Amino acid sequence: MIAIEIEIALVLALPVGAAAVLALAGHRRHAPEVNIAASLCTLAAAAALTLHVMRAGPMLAFGRQFLVDPLNVFLVALTAFVAFTTAVFSRPYMRIEEEHGRLSAAKLRLYHSMFQLFVFAMLLALVTNNVGILWVAMEAATLTTVLLVSLYRTPEGLEAAWKYFILCGVGIAQALFGTILLYFAAERVLGAGGDALLWTALEGVRGQLEPTVLALAFVFLLVGYGTKAGLVPLHNWLPDAHAEGPAPVSAVLSGLLLNVALYAVVRCKVLVDGALPAAFAHRLMMGFGLVSVVVAALLLARQRDIKRLFAYSSIEHMGIVTFAFGIGGPIANFAALLHMTVHSLTKSALFFTAGHAAQKAGTQMIDGIRGLVTINPLVGWGLVLGTLAILGVPPFGVFASEFLILTTAMHEQPWATPFLLAALGIAFAAMFSRVQPMVFGDTTASRLPLRPAMLPVFAHLALVLMLGLWIPPALAEWYRQAARLIG
Amino acid sequence: MAPTPIGFQLINLLAAILLLLAFAMLAQRRVVSLIDLFAWQGAVLAASTAVVAYTTAQPHLYASTILTVLLKVLALPWLLYRMVKRLDVHWEFETLINIPATMLIGIVLVVFSFSLTLPVSELASTVTHATLGIALASVMLSFLMMITRRKAIPQVIGFLAMENGLFFAATSATYGMPMVVELGIALDVLVAVLILGVFFFQIREQFDSLDLRHLERLKEGD
């Protein structure tokens, strides 16, 4: 039991310590390396924690305030991994931005320290057992990234950050009201005090919680955390925030924060399922998910900015995952968890590549980016392969998860399948027709002052490819356990 | 744990004042007066928390009373005053919808909030009967204020007033959230205001004004 507490403490303390060091020391020559080293240590601690939970099963720590079980430890490992590769990517990326005169030392200091705090907020949201602290950590994750979205201080960047702050702030306030209602219901069973917000305690008595209160609470929680996950019609902030910040920030917002927000929804769903007929939460989630998939696919066709294109694709994929959790059952949940993993890896790789492509062309506009392969084949091929992967072309992992979700939908919710298929088809046509001319043909790109960091991109894509061909048995078992937890 | 009749009456009275203040904020055009109203709302909130603490003998609610006074009556209004002074934005401002129409929408929202919380209120012990509806109504009214205002600072005050409504829901409906959660929420609110302060200066530097009409470049289609 001691080891688990040390591991959790390390996972949380390392990013905070790194943030303090990076903020206090200012932007020195080796700040990017410190950022990478700290992220690597966090990843090592997260890996140790993960192995421990795989061996010993779910565990509580620090007087039941923290919980690690297959569901969250899998996201802890994913978050720490993508945070590490993003740190690796951001070293050359941010240096190029500095040489292009878009960033100063003060801004880089803000970037490095806020990046670490953001990672901390997400990890705290994942490992806490307290539904109230989950809310606090989600709000903290927004706050740490607001100033990163406006890092370039362009008019568009400021607008995006303002929208992000206000819309997510309002959204998440709904989630707080939902949490209060949840506490209100729990207090009648568990009594006042700290226990009544502990997820494990709530889960233990979920059958006794007042159904009317829980139904209302879940609507508020879904709307609140759904805003953060970018579900339509609450998605308005997402494309702006993802497009205007620097590429590493877009990558972690899209690849990690959306997952954490969905995780919060799923945790709440488990509680509601016990108190209400299962169809209630499931129908709501399927509805939100399907609308998000369809609307995002239609909007994809209208995008002219490369990062906005990928941002709308994130909305689409969050919709797919929400829909799959809405179907429920072991197979759909398994597919949803797999989809969260592969989307997170692929989408962050795409934002890395899009960042470099925009640096080469000197613009984020799709019309201005042409013929990437001729100047730098790696960036060009990274973009093509990443796009094919996210569009669900076999043998990439996205295909595997989407295929599972579609076949389950055909069995259990046949009415939804045509919508899903049509949306996936539209998304394919829209994205591929935009990416293809960016990569091939006459070029407008120029050479970069430094070598682009394509290693993280290909590492992510290789993992996605592997997950499409072969899921390691240990990982599959772990997904199965998590899927059972969700129910 | 049921509060005494006088405490019960007091909490209802304070809840009514809270709702009135929310309407007053909706109608207020001057930024400085808006901050005053916000501080008053914080004071009413602290008073109601203290009453709940006394009548239900929940000692940890005294701590949250002190926290409310420090944060919402002193710190946040002071920070906002300082911002208004340094940014020099005392002027009156226009709203998107005229004030009487806004008030009418506000009344509809109050009715909606009460009907939404009706099934929950019926379950509640006496103290929370009407207060949950009032709390949700003041959240909705703050929400409305954020929608109808074009300038940055009133929007932020709306955001903070919404937090007040939520906090009132937490104390009156559930006798306060666990202390650690309350501290976390308070920290988030404080950090949010500090970040917004930085942010206002960035907006001003860029546009020479805090009018959010400048922030309408990004569109869904492109």
Side-chain angles (χ1 to χ4, degrees), chain A residues 4-66:
Chain A
I4 195 86
E5 287 173 344
I6 293 173
E7 281 156 9
I8 291 178
L10 274 177
V11 164
L12 295 177
L14 281 166
V16 176
V21 169
L22 288 163
L24 293 176
H27 186 64
R28 301 281 173 83
R29 229 181 108 227
H30 291 295
E33 283 80 5
V34 173
N35 192 29
I36 295 173
S39 306
L40 184 62
C41 294
T42 313
L43 176 59
L49 182 69
T50 308
L51 289 174
H52 197 151
V53 174
M54 281 173 88
R55 263 202 326 273
M59 270 176 285
L60 290 161
F62 295 109
R64 298 201 288 155
Q65 284 300 318
F66 291 93

Side-chain angles (χ1 to χ4, degrees), chain B residues 6-179:
Chain B
I6 295 176
F8 171 58
Q9 296 293 341
L10 258 178
I11 292 168
N12 271 343
L13 177 69
L14 290 168
I17 297 176
L18 200 76
L19 193 62
L20 270 178
L21 282 171
F23 268 108
M25 286 169 98
L26 209 52
Q28 185 52 255
R29 284 161 175 272
R30 273 173 51 96
V31 186
V32 181
S33 318
L34 210 51
I35 300 175
D36 286 341
L37 284 172
F38 172 70
W40 275 110
Q41 211 184 28
V44 171
L45 201 60
S48 77
T49 315
V51 173
V52 176
Y54 180 74
T55 51
T56 62
Q58 300 260 338
H60 83 275
L61 279 181
Y62 287 118
S64 81
T65 309
I66 296 168
L67 193 68
T68 311
V69 171
L70 287 179
L71 187 71
K72 288 175 180 159
V73 184
L74 301 174
L76 293 182
W78 179 75
L79 277 170
L80 288 167
Y81 270 127
R82 234 177 53 135
M83 257 180 233
V84 167
K85 229 178 174 173
R86 286 184 52 193
L87 291 163
D88 200 25
V89 281
H90 304 282
W91 27 250
E92 319 232 322
F93 44 81
E94 82 241 61
T95 54
L96 277 179
I97 311 171
N98 66 29
I99 302 262
T102 318
M103 300 301 253
L104 284 177
I105 300 172
I107 291 169
V108 174
L109 282 178
V110 173
V111 174
F112 170 72
S113 309
F114 270 86
S115 63
L116 195 66
T117 50
L118 198 64
V120 182
S121 302
E122 276 165 4
L123 298 165
S125 53
T126 44
V127 64
T128 50
H129 230 42
T131 46
L132 199 63
I134 289 188
L136 186 61
S138 52
V139 171
M140 292 284 177
L141 290 177
S142 319
F143 199 18
L144 181 63
M145 182 175 141
M146 290 176 75
I147 294 170
T148 54
R149 297 297 161 92
R150 291 212 101 137
K151 307 280 195 242
I153 290 188
Q155 279 204 354
V156 167
I157 296 175
F159 177 74
L160 294 170
M162 191 163 67
E163 208 81 50
N164 277 353
L166 289 169
F167 191 83
F168 184 69
T171 47
S172 66
T174 67
Y175 306 132
M177 305 274 267
M179 204 56 214

Side-chain angles (χ1 to χ4, degrees), chain A residues 112-244:
Chain A
H112 284 129
S113 44
M114 281 299 179
F115 178 79
Q116 290 292 340
L117 276 182
F118 174 57
V119 173
F120 162 73
M122 285 191 295
L123 291 170
L124 177 64
L126 290 172
V127 296
T128 183
N129 187 23
N130 190 320
V131 187
I133 298 294
L134 171 64
W135 184 89
V136 171
M138 288 297 298
E139 172 77 356
T142 314
L143 294 175
T144 48
T145 39
V146 167
L147 291 179
L148 294 185
V149 169
S150 67
L151 197 66
Y152 294 133
R153 308 270 170 91
T154 57
E156 287 84 3
L158 286 171
E159 177 183 345
W162 178 258
K163 252 187 182 172
Y164 177 45
F165 178 85
I166 290 293
L167 288 177
C168 280
V170 169
I172 208 147
Q174 314 297 315
L176 182 58
F177 193 72
T179 310
I180 292 169
L181 285 174
L182 194 61
Y183 182 60
F184 173 74
E187 199 196 17
R188 303 162 64 82
V189 182
L190 294 164
D195 274 8
L197 271 181
L198 293 185
W199 188 82
T200 40
L202 285 166
E203 205 222 356
V205 297
R206 60 183 190 159
Q208 303 164 40
L209 299 175
E210 192 60 51
T212 41
V213 183
L214 241 62
L216 196 59
F218 184 71
V219 172
F220 277 100
L221 287 163
L222 180 62
V223 168
Y225 292 130
T227 309
K228 291 226 75 166
L231 297 180
V232 175
L234 314 157
H235 66 288
N236 224 302
W237 61 274
L238 189 144
D240 303 339
H242 289 205
E244 300 305 329

